Every structure is written in C-alpha cells, then in structure tokens.
Amino acid sequence: MEDFSTTLDHRVVTLKTATDVVRFSFIVRNSISYLDFGLCQYSMLLNYVGTSCDCCALKLSNSFINTEEKCRKFFTQSRSLLYTLHLDLPKGRECSLKDVPNSITFDHNPCIPHIAKIIPTSGFNISILSDFVEDAINSNKKKLKILSWILKMSFSNLPLLYVLKIRAVDKFINFFYPEITDSAIFKDFIMYFDFTEWISAYEKPEILEYLLYYSRHYGREDLTEDVFPIDEIIDPCIFNRYFLNIGPILKYINVPRFSEDDYHLYFLKISSTRPNLTEERLRKAEKRMKRWRIHQMLQIIWMHIDCRQHLCTEAASEDLRLIWCSVPDVCISFKEIKRAFRGIFRVEELKNIYDFYAEAVGEFSESVQPRSLQHLCRSIIRSTLRENQIWIPEGLRQTCLPKAIESFLNLEKVFCTSNEFAL
C-alpha cells in the first residue's frame, strides 16, 4: 500500500480579465469592498478554460469574493468534502492567500486542488493603464497635456512612458511627426520612450529616421545599453520583414552587431524547413570558421528562404546591400557557403542562395577576397562618426566632401563616371 505524500503541491491561479481582478480584489488588491461594475458573466479565468479539473463545471458567479475561504471554495469544488465530513486541514498546511511565504514553489497545473496564490496575469496593470491612455488620446485633443502628465509618472521604478504598451506610445509619435521637434515635451519624450520595441513593432522608416535623428540631436546615449540594444535590432527587423527600417538604423549606427540569441533563432527557423541542419552540423561548421561568419551566412540563407515565400525579395536584397556596405568584413565566397552547408542544401539551392547574395552586394567571389581600400575607408569614417555620437549623414555633410563621396559613405547607390570618384 502506498503511503500518503507528506508534501503539498501549491497552485497559483492567474486572473486574466479586469472583471476577475475586481471580483477577487479582496485578495489581489487587499480590498474590503468593491465597485459594482456590473460584472460580466462571460469573464474567463485563465486557468480553467479548456481544462478537465473539477472546477470547470462550476458556474461562474457575479458575486464579490470577500473571504479567503470563499476563494478556495470557488476554485476547488472538491473542498466541500471538508465541510461535509467536518474536517480541518492540519495547522500550517495552508497559508494566507494575502501573505504567501517566498519558500513556497508554485505550479500553474489547474488539476492541483490546493490554491496557494491568486495573482493578476503578467503585465495586467500596465496593459489596463495603456488602454486608458490610448482611449484618452483618441477622445481628447489635448494630447500634449496627457503626455506631460505621463512624463511625470513612474511605474515600477521606471518612467511610465518607457513601460506603456507601444501602441499607446505610437499615438503620441503620430501626433508629433513631422512638425513638432523643439518643444520641451518632445525632448522628454525622445529621452524616455522605448526605441527598440517600437522599431520591432512598426515599419515606418520616415518616422523612424525622424526619431533617431532627434535622439542624436538631444544627446540620448543609451540606445546601445537597452535590454535590446539598437546595434542588435537589424536581425529582428529581418525576422519581421521590416526591411525599410534598416536604412534609417544604419544612419544612427555604423554597423549591425550580431547576438547569440539571433544566431540561435536563425538556426531554429532554417532547421524547421531543413531538418538536416542540426546542432551537430552547426558545431562542425563552427570548428572551421567563426560564429559571426556563420551568423552572416545564416542571415543570408534565411532572407532568401523567407523572402521568396513572402514575395519581398527586392526589399530584402536592398537590405543585404546596405548591411554589406556597412560591415568591414570580407564578402562571403561561394566556396565558404558551400563548405559550411553542403549536405544540408543541394548544390543548386546553394547556388541560388549565393546568387541572391552576390546580386545584392554586387560582388561574386569563388574564394575569399579582401574588401577594397575604398570600402575600408568608408567603414573607418562611419565608425569614427558613430564613436563620437554624431548622426552619420549630418557628420558627412559637415565634411564638405564631393557629393558622390558623401553618397558613397551614406551607403547610397552611386553611379558616377567621374575620374575623381568612380565606383
């Protein structure tokens, strides 16, 4: 005969809607009363939708839950057995739902009968606040006044503007662009809002260039220090097919920086279509060449696969050109890509992938060839401007170089027959 377990599994219940948070505000908000919002009978508790636990059949009530015992009875119908048999749980087996010890480990499994913690879903508070802000912007003409209030507020020790849902922040951006550039509120907005999240959510190249320019103009220096640094935002733009964002970004930074997370994500995306690309095959390739070099190849391969599927090859090709005009690295050779991915792709496929790359960068190499001195000079000049926190096109304009050279340094497509500067 098996012994009864001496341990008690603890379950955490996540409240998904505002209706449910209000209903259980006695626990999650430490409230002794509630506002009658005409609680909706269709509210859903995240843990119970589509599960097979015994509380699924429990009809949700609109009543306000004002004791811990009512909470436990609501979520665990089988708890009624305790009352039927006049039983109590041993002392110390349950803790207060309002004061849960840090030592307790929680599980979201809805079939665990013992409720130990009830919390709003992650991001609930800021999501609700963002909805209020968005509604206020849509229904009120005094947007600057609303923004002025937001800029003075904080949330979890961070500026409120920084943590608001990006769709609400985008409302302010659309209000500013393109006329407002010199107000104190606009400057504060530029200094606090989350650039990289906005770049990952929207493809608005003209507005992005406007924002990045004034970020440089007002001296914001933390875009390289964010959780998602702008130096590493190129690959997320490629994943989202926001190709038009890459041009403005390369006016703010001189070269993209590759991250381990994006390296792994390229691997996962490509291996989902090519099962022969395994971690073992990738490790073998890493023994022959640097990871950043393989990263560059994975980027090319994924852009070729994804853009053919979504019919955006022209935009992807232009972005490959911009990326390879900015980096000082030698161009990928056909020999390199064939050696790294032979057996994963057919030779004909590798040829198509490489043709896509070679056409974009304007250079076909059977073997590794050094970049031109002209290109390396461009790389050094752009790097110097970036190190000095200068908006690259503006810095180049101040050098008073010939127009063709300035365009070349700005990564523009230049066609010039002058003896002074021929490309």
Side-chain angles (χ1 to χ4, degrees), residues 71-88:
C71 285
R72 298 186 194 278
K73 287 169 64 178
F74 183 90
F75 290 110
T76 310
Q77 195 173 17
S78 59
R79 192 177 178 86
S80 61
L81 182 64
L82 293 176
Y83 310 114
T84 302
L85 300 178
H86 304 286
L87 298 175
D88 289 317

Side-chain angles (χ1 to χ4, degrees), residues 296-304 320 332 353 356-357:
Q296 291 174 323
M297 296 182 196
L298 291 173
Q299 184 186 74
I300 295 164
I301 291 169
W302 175 247
M303 290 177 76
H304 179 261
L320 263 184
I332 301 290
I353 291 169
F356 163 70
Y357 165 75

Side-chain angles (χ1 to χ4, degrees), residues 4-168:
F4 286 106
S5 173
T6 58
T7 61
L8 185 64
D9 292 328
H10 299 277
R11 176 158 134 239
V12 59
V13 174
T14 306
L15 305 178
K16 184 179 182 181
T17 69
T19 298
D20 296 320
V21 171
V22 170
R23 180 179 296 143
F24 295 95
S25 59
F26 173 73
I27 301 297
V28 298
R29 293 290 185 258
N30 200 27
S31 173
I32 60 173
S33 63
Y34 72 105
L35 297 175
D36 184 2
F37 292 139
L39 299 179
C40 175
Q41 62 179 320
Y42 301 111
S43 70
M44 295 184 300
L45 294 168
L46 184 63
N47 292 60
Y48 308 118
V49 179
T51 66
S52 58
C53 59
D54 58 5
C55 61
C56 286
L58 186 63
K59 184 177 180 180
L60 295 182
S61 164
N62 285 342
S63 62
F64 177 65
I65 307 298
N66 58 3
T67 68
E68 292 195 24
E69 190 57 33
K70 282 185 179 180
C71 285
R72 298 186 194 278
K73 287 169 64 178
F74 183 90
F75 290 110
T76 310
Q77 195 173 17
S78 59
R79 192 177 178 86
S80 61
L81 182 64
L82 293 176
Y83 310 114
T84 302
L85 300 178
H86 304 286
L87 298 175
D88 289 317
L89 287 175
K91 186 177 180 180
R93 296 288 278 181
E94 285 187 330
C95 59
S96 170
L97 294 174
K98 292 185 177 183
D99 186 21
V100 184
N102 294 330
S103 58
I104 291 180
T105 302
F106 302 104
D107 196 316
H108 286 269
N109 184 352
C111 294
I112 295 175
H114 178 64
I115 305 298
K117 191 172 186 179
I118 302 174
I119 57 173
T121 188
S122 176
F124 172 83
N125 294 330
I126 195 62
S127 180
I128 293 294
L129 184 55
S130 295
D131 288 342
F132 284 143
V133 169
E134 194 171 356
D135 288 343
I137 297 169
N138 290 335
S139 60
N140 197 315
K141 293 182 179 180
K142 298 181 179 180
K143 294 179 175 59
L144 284 179
K145 190 172 183 179
I146 297 171
L147 181 57
S148 177
W149 170 77
I150 290 172
L151 288 168
K152 296 175 183 177
M153 304 293 290
S154 62
F155 185 91
S156 298
N157 298 320
L158 288 170
L160 176 57
L161 180 68
Y162 191 82
V163 296
L164 278 178
K165 294 296 182 182
I166 206 65
R167 68 176 187 274

